[in-house]
Each structure stands twice: as C-alpha cells, then as structure tokens.
Amino acid sequence: MRLRNFTKRYETAAKVASAARHHAWLTEHARPLRLPALTVVGPTSLTYEWIDGRPAWPEDLLTLAELLGDAHGVAWTTDLRPASLNTPHRFRDGIVFGDYIGPRQTALRRRLKQGYLPDRVALHAMLTLLEKTAEGPTAFYKDSNPRNFIITEVGDVYTVDTDDLTLAPMAYDLAKLITTLVLTYGPLPARTIDSALHAYNEAAERHAPRLGATNRERLDDFLALHAVLTAPYAGRNGYRDSWTARPCPRGSA
C-alpha cells in the first residue's frame, strides 16, 4: 500500500525550521496531542503523514477542551513551569518562541491601523485587558481553530499546523477554539462554554491544582481579546459568522 503524505510549503527556510522545531517541542512536551508524523524536512517545505478526517465541530468542544487542558498540564509539568508570560521561551538550541504580551501588543496596534478598533481609547482598553490577563501559570498557544484538528472516522483526534507557537495563560487557546467555532458555525450556548471550561480545568488540575483555576470571567477576557485579534479573518478560512453573534445567553438552548 502506498502511504499518502501532505506537503506544506513556506516562503523561507527560517519558517521551515521554526515549524519543525515547534512540531518537535509539542511532540515532546504536549504528548496528549497527537500530531501527524513529520517525515521530510525540505529547504522550503515540510512533509507529514496524511490523516483522513474532518475538522472539529461544535459537538467536539468538550472532548477538545479536555484534550487541551491535559496537554497544557503536561507542558507546564515538563517544561513551562519556570516560564514567564512576559519573556520569550528558549528551546534547547537557544532559539526562542514568542512570549504572550509582545506579539499581541503588536497585533492589537495593527488592528487599530486596519480599522478593527475604532480609536486609541479602544486600543488602550484592549492593551490593558491584555496586561490584566498576563498572570498565572504558563501554557502554550498553537492556534486551536477547527481546521487545526483532524478527527478520524474512529474518533481519533490529530492536531495539525505548528507554524505558530507562543506562550499563553492557561485556557487562552481554549478561548481561541471557542471563538473560531462561533465564527465558523454560529453562536454556542453559554452552558456549553461553561461545560467546556469545566472539562478543561478538570483535565489541567490533574497535573497541579493551580492549573485548573480559570473562571468564566477570565475566559470572557480571553474571548474579548480573540474577537479583536481574529477580526481580519472574517469571511476567510471558513469563518462565515461574526463575533457579533456572541455565545447564546445563559439558560438559552
């Protein structure tokens, strides 16, 4: 039988090296995540084993929330315990991946220039919110949107796309998944989001009690940040809805 592969191409060798390094780090330090095997590292491309499956659906949220909580707990235990959200994290070869604050400050200022924030008052509010959330144990962010999960016919979950990897607070990447599920499929019931947060916290705190402390107010802060940061992608990449279609009010279906 001939094995199938998927090849992703990059503009520079540096981006190839970065994505390959992220893949290796996640394989070692986020073992609950199942990644397709990286089979060939080329000058401007990476080749992975092919995985047949579908992207994540809203009904997968609880499963994925638990998976993320478990993966973030393992990463904290094995590598990120001493990491600071405000300082880039160094790989063993000395190369860094980004801190939490810096890349998002840059992105929020860009959103003002792009017209996704109305004025500097709104920008200041978002930067203040970003600073407020930069506390607590350190996890990682790898852009958990529905397209970056592949769910096979038998229910196995694979995580793909290792281009972006930064430090982030616990549950920040869960908020990205919730935001992009809403953008892709429409509003989610508030109780579904609450259940997802509970599943995430339960999985994370199995590694250390302090890892499962994210409350709904803090998750809502993350959701507000993601609403602005993802605004330029509305109408692209399957994001057919908008964040104005907020999660359904509590008690609704």
Side-chain angles (χ1 to χ4, degrees), residues 3 6 17 21 23 35 38 64 77 95 98 100 119 124 130 133 147 150 153 158 186 201 222 231 235 241 247:
L3 296 178
F6 169 75
R21 188 179 296 111
H23 185 279
L35 280 71
L38 176 56
L64 297 179
T77 301
I95 304 298
Y100 173 61
D119 50 40
H124 177 73
L130 178 67
T133 61
R147 294 170 286 104
I150 298 176
E153 189 174 355
Y158 284 81
N201 280 333
F222 295 149
D241 221 307

Side-chain angles (χ1 to χ4, degrees), residues 193-245:
I193 296 175
D194 289 341
S195 296
L197 179 59
H198 179 73
Y200 176 92
N201 280 333
E202 275 200 332
E205 71 182 6
R206 289 198 291 267
H207 300 277
R210 63 186 296 231
L211 302 184
T214 304
N215 60 28
R216 182 58 194 270
E217 179 182 357
R218 185 165 169 82
L219 182 70
D220 286 343
D221 287 344
F222 295 149
L223 292 171
L225 287 167
H226 283 303
V228 176
L229 292 170
T230 60
Y233 306 104
R236 299 162 49 193
N237 301 325
Y239 296 161
R240 297 182 294 272
D241 221 307
S242 67
W243 190 249
T244 54

Side-chain angles (χ1 to χ4, degrees), residues 21-38:
R21 188 179 296 111
H22 294 168
H23 185 279
W25 187 89
L26 289 166
T27 300
E28 180 177 359
H29 295 293
R31 290 184 179 177
L33 299 183
R34 181 180 294 182
L35 280 71
L38 176 56

Side-chain angles (χ1 to χ4, degrees), residues 6 8 44 81 85 92 101 108 141 154-155 164 178 191 195 200 227:
F6 169 75
K8 184 169 185 177
T44 57
R81 188 191 304 250
L85 289 166
R92 290 175 182 170
I101 291 287
L108 287 170
Y141 166 82
V154 297
D164 298 313
I178 291 168
R191 64 172 175 263
S195 296
Y200 176 92

Side-chain angles (χ1 to χ4, degrees), residues 28-161:
E28 180 177 359
H29 295 293
R31 290 184 179 177
L33 299 183
R34 181 180 294 182
L35 280 71
L38 176 56
T39 58
V40 180
V41 178
T44 57
S45 66
L46 295 175
T47 299
Y48 301 90
E49 66 171 323
W50 177 271
I51 305 296
D52 280 317
R54 60 170 177 82
W57 295 338
E59 51 263 43
D60 301 310
L61 178 56
L62 283 182
T63 297
L64 297 179
E66 182 177 2
L67 177 64
L68 285 172
D70 193 17
H72 290 165
V74 169
W76 184 85
T77 301
T78 63
D79 192 37
L80 296 180
R81 188 191 304 250
S84 168
L85 289 166
N86 299 317
T87 305
H89 186 64
R90 292 192 177 274
F91 291 94
R92 290 175 182 170
D93 61 5
I95 304 298
V96 301
F97 65 89
D99 65 296
Y100 173 61
I101 291 287
R104 289 162 184 85
Q105 287 176 333
T106 300
L108 287 170
R109 292 188 177 101
R110 189 181 304 123
R111 297 298 177 265
L112 175 64
K113 292 180 180 179
Q114 294 169 323
Y116 296 107
L117 287 170
D119 50 40
R120 291 194 172 274
V121 174
L123 172 62
H124 177 73
M126 297 309 299
L127 291 173
T128 300
L129 184 60
L130 178 67
E131 293 280 353
K132 173 189 171 186
T133 61
E135 60 181 14
T138 300
F140 62 86
Y141 166 82
K142 74 154 302 296
D143 188 12
S144 288
N145 67 62
R147 294 170 286 104
N148 284 345
F149 293 100
I150 298 176
I151 301 175
T152 70
E153 189 174 355
V154 297
D156 293 333
V157 178
Y158 284 81
T159 304
V160 299
D161 191 348

